[in-house]
Every structure is written in C-alpha cells, then in structure tokens.
Amino acid sequence: MEIKKIFVAGAGLMGGGIAQVCAQAGYDVTMRDLTEEILEKSLKAIHWSVGKLVEKGRVKGATDEIMGRIKTSTDLSGAADADFVFEAIIENLEAKREIFKELDRICQQPTILATNSSAIPVTEIAEATQRVPKVTGTHFFSPVPMMKAVEIVKGLGTAEQTIEIADKLCRSLGKETIRVNRDVAGIVLNRINFPSTIEAIKLVEAGVTTVEDIDRGMRLGFGRPMGPFETADMTGLEVGFNAMMVVYRETRDEKFHPPMLLQRKVKLGHLGRKTGIGWYKYDENGKKLGPAD
Ligand SMILES: NC(=O)c1ccc[n+]([C@@H]2O[C@H](COP(=O)([O-])OP(=O)(O)OC[C@H]3O[C@@H](n4cnc5c(N)ncnc54)[C@H](O)[C@@H]3O)[C@@H](O)[C@H]2O)c1
C-alpha cells in the first residue's frame, strides 16, 4: 500500500508537529481543526519550526516548498482521499469516538486510522468504527519534530498488516518505532514516566526540594534534556493530569494518582507555557521568568 496523502485531525501541539514531519518527509498533508484561527496559529508555528530546521541544515528542502504541502480545513471531507489518518484531537474518549465514527464514514475502505492518544486504549476508540482491524495507535512525543520515538500500539482487533504499515510510515518520517503489543492505558513509556513525575511533585509538595532543583538535577544527573516540571509546562499540566487519571482509573494503582498540588494548579488554570504560568512563570513571548510560587 503506497501512502501519498495524509490527513491530520487536530492542529494543536501534537497535530501540528505530526503535519510538519509528514510534510518534511514529502507527503501531502491536510490538517483539520475546529476554527480558521487555530489553523492559522498552527501554520505559523510550523512555518517557524521548519524555517529553523532548514536554516540549521537538519531538514532538506526549502521552507516554502515544505509548507506548500500542508493544506488546512475546518471540515473532515478532506479525509476522503487520504491514505492514512493521524488523529490528534483533545484527549477525550467521546470526542475521539465521534471523530473516528465520522472518519470511518468518509474515508476509503483501505485507509488506516491512527490515534495519538496518550492514555485511552485503542480498542475503545476503534470500537466506534466498522474497521477495527484498520485502527491503531501511533503515539508521538512532544515536540514532535525533535523527539524520535513513536509507540506503535496494537488494539485488541488491530490487524498485523496495519501495524506494519503504520510502523513503516512512522519510520519514513524519520522516527524510531517501539512496538506495543497490548493497548494498556498510558502505553509503555508514560507508564514508566508518570510515577517518576508524580514522585517529583510529591517531593516539592512536602517541601523536600524545589521545582528548579529537581529539573536541574534530572538534567545533570540523568542527562535528560528537560526536567519533569519543564516538560509538564511545555505539554500542558492538564494533559498530564488527565492522562494520569485515565491510567489510575484503569489500574486503580495509587502510583498513578495525580498529587493534590497538580490537581489545584489545573483547577486554577495554571497549565504551563500556554497560560503564562504553570510550574514556572513566562512572559508574553514565552520566555521563562522563574518558578511560579
Ligand atoms: N501534549 C503532549 O505532549 C502529547 C504527547 C503525546 C500524545 N498526546 C496526545 O495527543 C492528542 C493531542 O494533544 P495536544 O497536546 O496536541 O492537544 P492540544 O490541545 O494542543 O490540541 C488539540 C486540538 O484538537 C482540536 N480539536 C478538538 N476537537 C476536534 C475535532 N473534533 N476535530 C479536529 N480538531 C479538534 C482542538 O481545537 C485543539 O486545537 C491528545 O490525545 C494527547 O493525549 C499529547
């Protein structure tokens, strides 16, 4: 099966990144979101990122030529001639089931539908469609243009051929794939990472140390490019909170339960970079000013 046209549902942090790496790899992409404003904002961010990567010689080709491969739309009809669909809308089971049902109706019979969900099991989303064997999980990491890993997730009814096609496509985007044989909530890498982030928050909550020192320590001691609080501010605190809750509800394992401090911050709307405050404070250009509290 030759893949030429890709449809990306959702033009947020992840959908924009996925559309970008697809266009960089030479695919024709249509990116869909709810409003023109969101699409414009996303295109602007992609343009900036592609420009930087081209300038540094990390991506071949001209920025305009790459941007020329991305079309935008506020409706789903553009999915009709897509060979492959990446879904990266909000992390909400009902919203995802709804869009998969619609995509199932619109897309051609061989088209594969892949969810980028961090925590919702593929099987629960696939069940909303009449093409369960052609639904899989392709879990990218943020920021998508920089992070090499993609977890390829098999739902209960996903066909092996679907996994092979998704795996090959993601590798053609310059990614390395990690095969996941069962769609457990949180998949594999977040299942390992969440307890460590939760422990970091609990240590701050208990006054043992500070947000800044943990981030610095994790960078210097474990060679991570970013500490857990810096990562959470980039991702959005509510994204992590919701994903932890999905894993906690499925496992009932306390080690996945979001700590009180995280719950309070999400309630207050202190969601990270996008709201100007999360674990750190930011100026209007997104420059970090210092710790939030
Ligand atoms: N943020 C991360 O680090 C990260 C990492 C891996 C996976 N994910 C997963 O990727 C998905 C997207 O996350 P994000 O961080 O990009 O979220 P985001 O909030 O930045 O973007 C979601 C976008 O989906 C749009 N949307 C909502 N309903 C839609 C619909 N019916 N059709 C089209 N667009 C719709 C919203 O307007 C928004 O622009 C989620 O499932 C999330 O769990 C996120």
Side-chain angles (χ1 to χ4, degrees):
M1 178 186 181
E2 201 194 350
I3 292 173
K4 282 188 181 155
K5 289 193 172 173
I6 294 177
F7 189 84
V8 180
L13 183 69
M14 301 305 289
I18 294 168
Q20 176 178 339
V21 293
C22 290
Q24 284 172 185
Y27 295 101
D28 289 327
V29 189
T30 302
M31 184 170 74
R32 189 261 176 155
D33 210 300
L34 303 176
T35 67
E36 293 292 351
E37 292 73 44
I38 299 173
L39 288 165
E40 257 169 49
K41 195 172 154 216
S42 184
L43 272 184
K44 218 167 138 191
I46 297 172
H47 192 282
W48 179 85
S49 173
V50 173
K52 281 270 168 227
L53 292 169
V54 168
E55 191 184 300
K56 288 183 186 160
R58 292 172 67 172
V59 164
K60 289 197 190 80
T63 304
D64 287 348
E65 180 197 331
I66 294 168
M67 293 307 296
R69 293 193 200 108
I70 307 178
K71 283 197 285 188
T72 60
S73 171
T74 53
D75 68 59
L76 281 180
S77 57
D81 63 349
D83 303 305
F84 196 102
V85 176
F86 287 111
E87 170 276 313
I89 70 162
I90 45 165
E91 186 78 342
N92 174 289
L93 177 63
E94 275 325 303
K96 289 201 192 274
R97 281 176 60 91
E98 186 57 39
I99 199 166
F100 269 71
K101 210 170 167 177
E102 275 294 287
L103 287 166
D104 186 34
R105 199 177 51 76
I106 293 166
C107 292
Q108 296 168 59
Q109 192 262 332
T111 305
I112 289 172
L113 310 180
T115 178
N116 190 50
S117 173
S118 290
I120 301 170
V122 174
T123 310
E124 286 195 45
I125 299 170
E127 198 270 323
T129 73
Q130 303 295 316
R131 63 175 83 202
V132 172
K134 293 201 170 70
V135 180
T136 184
T138 48
H139 185 234
F140 289 77
F141 288 78
S142 168
V144 179
M146 312 307 291
M147 293 297 165
K148 283 279 209 185
V150 181
E151 291 174 304
I152 309 288
V153 188
K154 193 174 187 316
L156 200 56
T158 310
E160 188 53 36
Q161 196 196 13
T162 301
I163 298 289
E164 295 294 336
I165 294 168
D167 191 301
K168 193 170 161 206
L169 172 62
C170 290
R171 281 187 284 114
S172 79
L173 304 177
K175 302 301 176 197
E176 302 236 6
T177 54
I178 288 120
R179 294 277 192 111
V180 181
N181 299 325
R182 275 180 44 215
D183 56 346
V184 292
I187 324 182
V188 168
L189 300 184
N190 277 339
R191 282 282 275 255
I192 297 166
N193 198 40
F194 284 167
S196 139
T197 302
I198 287 168
E199 191 58 28
I201 298 169
K202 285 184 176 168
L203 288 167
V204 168
E205 228 170 19
V208 175
T209 184
T210 63
V211 162
E212 274 180 308
D213 274 357
I214 288 181
D215 278 344
R216 206 159 46 87
M218 294 303 280
R219 279 191 263 108
L220 299 175
F222 290 104
R224 291 200 180 188
M226 290 170 105
F229 297 104
E230 291 160 332
T231 305
D233 271 8
M234 184 185 67
T235 308
L237 270 61
E238 83 292 9
V239 175
F241 173 83
N242 291 333
M244 285 170 194
M245 278 311 291
V246 175
V247 182
Y248 172 70
R249 280 193 210 107
E250 186 170 286
T251 60
R252 294 285 154 195
D253 187 335
E254 280 301 318
K255 70 172 180 279
F256 296 114
H257 196 264
M260 193 63 78
L261 186 55
L262 176 59
Q263 295 183 36
R264 294 287 183 268
K265 279 187 175 283
V266 170
K267 274 250 153 37
L268 257 184
H270 290 190
L271 306 180
R273 277 180 187 277
K274 60 184 159 193
T275 57
I277 184 165
W279 296 107
Y280 295 94
K281 281 186 257 181
Y282 301 87
D283 70 13
E284 59 278 7
N285 300 314
K287 189 169 171 277
K288 196 200 278 180
L289 298 172
D293 310 299

